[in-house]
Amino acid sequence: MSFTSFHSRYIAYELTKRCSSDSLEKLAGTLVDAQIDLNPHQIDAALFAFQSPLSKGAILADEVGLGKTIEAGLVIAQKWAERKHKILIITPANLRKQWYQELSDKFFLESVILESKAYNNLLKKGHKHPFEQKQIVICSYQFAKAKAFDLISIPWDLVVIDEAHRLRNVYKPTNVIANTLKNTLGSFHKLLLTATPLQNSLLELYGLISFLDDHAFGDVKSFREQYSTIADTRIFNNLKARIKPYCHRTLRHQVEPYIRYTKRFPMLQTYTPEESEDRLYDLVSDYLRRDNIQALPVGQRSLMTLVLRKLLASSSFAIAGALETIIKRLTDKLHENEPEKEQLEDTIGEDYEILSEQVDEWTDDQDNEPLTISDEQAIKNEIADLRKLRDLAVSITANAKGRALLVALEQAFQQAERLGSERKAIIFTESRKTQDYLLRVLADSPFSEGIVLFNGSNNDPRSKEIYTDWIAQHKGTDKVTGSRTADMRSAIVDYFREEGHIMIATEAGAEGINLQFCSLVVNYDLPWNPQRIEQRIGRCHRYGQKHDVVVVNFLNNHNEADQRVYDLLSEKFNLFAGVFGASDEVLGAIESGVDFEKRIVDIYQKCRAPEEINEAFDQLQAELSEDINDTIVQTRQKLFENFDDEVREKLRVRDEGSKQYLGLYERLLMQLTKHELRDCASFTDDSSFNLQSNPQGCQFELGLYELPRRSGEAHLYRPSHPLAHHILNTSKERSLIPSEIEFNLSEYEGKISSLEPFIGKSGVMSLCLFTVESLDVVEDHLIFSGQTDSGTELDEEALRRMFNVHGKVLTELPNLEIPNVINDRITVRQKDIQKGISVRNALFFETEAQKLDGWSDDLKSGLEREIKEIDRQIKEVRKATTLAPSLEEKLEGQRQMRALESQRSQKRRSLFEAQDDIDHKRDTLIGEIEKKLQQKCSEKTLFNIRWRVR
């Protein structure tokens, strides 16, 4: 199809126009940009977050496994496209890298993880405000709380908070993190992500919504009184209506038409340690139970105890390295060279890679006083003990669990093959040294071919070789980012997908990667944090997985505590079997899982005899059962879940609409590109082209370009790509002289009925860009107006459809005059647009006004209830006084009544003043909203032309 520069300009403005907050078309460019196959429920959730520009935020509460990160990613990407770049993501520490990777891989958005070390480095380099970044900022809850003063100085456009159920007790003054974040982030637009917005009490619902908007409900006392009896249908429906503007939830069974779920099959491999391994375990455990361990940093003993126990359970090689590090630390201390705790973190962290992430999450519960100066002999004795342990660990050259791995792999591969999947397995370990050991074990086994390591650095020779080959293969494509870390991850995953059979991965290395082509997960080391286990299995058991997933775990026959931990994770948490893994109730009850880990460590530390161990785990399981309240689960279902038919119909509409806009957007983008690069590129199909030379004055990578979600070795071509950005700007800024254009309908492949009556006719038209700004939202509207030479008006759709047709410029008409009637029609259309925006804004205003009315009524009702309570007390005293047998008692009763009546009078005066104050605050808030409702309009003529159709 041949274009004119007028076609080009119209399409460029069509592709870049800004749309209303509640329009599906608003997300069209973001949908094209995303390297994901979006599901309609995710689009629906993103639109909910945008639905009202007056809203202070939203809670996205889809069930576990439905991709809330993707939903938030859509919102973030759209904000970024609107040039709103001050975006903060607060997440549990163990999810920071996953967010970083998801934003990069799926939305091509750059982010930076801020933690203590990076933050302090920026300060040292002269950055006064390290949160002031050009990229999206990601940090943990603890870090955000610690740096609240710095956070508040940034005018954030959006704050996303993952696992937001951690904030649900914000109404309690004792919840320091939640209250600090609420006070810090109160004025910013927030997006909360949680599968469990209500876990144990309706007050948690009050807490979460009040975190978003302080004017959603009155104070906690009035909420408690008002909604204490939601068995009453009227009260229940009132509460449901009030939370509806804030919370969006979709269930897994409601999206089954769009997502295929596979199952999980658990396999348990037991093993019996050698006598030397048992002895090492017992001796190291005894050491860790000592009251005064001088080798561990003050204030981090709980965390380091967890780490050492995990390394001990991982392999003798892992604990040997840790013991060597501890000996070095004590030796430094002996020579009066007090080591910094960071040295221990850095050294052990090279092996246990997730240590740096856990530092932010773990603070010692014990009140550890700084150690006094110990005598030299005591430190020497501890070093001697540690050397014996180290020597014992080093003397063990093979582990029973390592031998059991070979048995487990053979059986698991057979099971996976029966389920129809490829011979691929991901083996997770928590230790780099164990990773090296497993590589040696597998290298001398029938599984020696196609092994690849995945960890935080991948500095081994084989990884470097794979990386070098990958760089050479993908040179000149967008797959090569220039970041060694990102490219190494891609190279390793691609090798595993295409050639490899076994990937041995550490926890940190495997965060955020997609292994849906693999369906065998081996937990060589089993984390005690259920959230981490779910993340591991989720690398394979995720969208796009075609086969059922086999999950292999190992169990030490000699360890009673290990047995109880496995039973708890398997039976109570249901992590390893079924379709979805852990339920919302369970994952919500444990929040980030850190406290659960601490409880497990405490049991290992304090309990030795089987009876003690079983009693402690019984207590833990009982407490967990109390946290999972069936009554509250049912309440949540009634409050948050809509009828299935209603949801399915809405998702069907979203699915059809998003596909329509996505298809149109991609088609227009490629048509525009084909016209603008007609002298520089060859076009093989409607979704790709080969850039053979650069546009004048430009320097882009030559080679094959493809739209996202296509397969092949190519640059990913999308609206935000610099080449597309150049083309769009060039088309919009090009100077156009009014001209006569001939549209050749006879060459159009298809039928445009609305244009057929105008074949052989001619006329004039004008295209106007009309921009309206209100409620901090800018909308662009492209208005066509035209008529035939005989004065017959053409509707906008017919004029728009002309630009689907081949056209050519016949002659330039610098002095072309447009009849006044065409401009008058444009003015009428502009007024209609303004009226439509006013009607829509009125609905937004009404929603906010209702929220404020509810808030105002809550506070007033609370005050009135206090007066009613005094009335009740007066009646009781009056009755008691009447029945009093003695004069003294009657006089005392009268005194009490006078005091209560005086108190009531004071309360009444206070009530009137408080009600006036509440009304004033409400009116002030309404006034602020009304100011935002004012419309600012501008218009720009994009072109005027004469037209003819043949």
Side-chain angles (χ1 to χ4, degrees), residues 59 123 235 299 354 389 404 429 516 582 610 700 716 766 889:
I59 302 169
L123 287 176
I235 294 175
I354 59 172
L389 296 177
T429 176
Q516 64 187 35
F700 299 109
L716 290 176
S766 182
E889 289 173 309

Side-chain angles (χ1 to χ4, degrees), residues 128 302 660 752 886:
K128 294 182 179 179
S302 294
Q660 174 188 344
I752 304 179
S886 67

Side-chain angles (χ1 to χ4, degrees), residues 351-366:
D351 184 29
Y352 188 81
E353 292 181 327
I354 59 172
L355 176 58
S356 61
E357 297 179 5
Q358 292 182 303
V359 168
D360 277 348
E361 294 268 324
W362 279 68
T363 52
D364 232 337
D365 296 329
Q366 307 167 27

Side-chain angles (χ1 to χ4, degrees), residues 96-98 100 111-115 118-119 136-139:
R96 291 175 302 181
K97 285 187 180 177
Q98 184 172 326
Y100 176 92
S111 58
V112 58
I113 296 174
L114 276 190
E115 37 76 35
Y119 187 91
I136 295 163
V137 177
I138 303 171
C139 72

Side-chain angles (χ1 to χ4, degrees), residues 48-60 158-159 188-192 212-213 245-247 848 851:
F48 178 85
F50 284 119
Q51 66 178 348
S52 170
L54 292 173
S55 169
K56 294 182 179 179
I59 302 169
L60 300 186
L158 175 67
V159 178
F188 306 123
H189 191 87
K190 294 176 284 293
L191 188 62
L192 309 186
L212 280 182
D213 186 351
Y246 295 99
C247 194
E848 293 304 307
K851 290 179 186 177

Side-chain angles (χ1 to χ4, degrees), residues 222 273 368 573 596-597:
S222 68
N368 286 328
F573 287 85
F596 184 78
E597 276 185 305

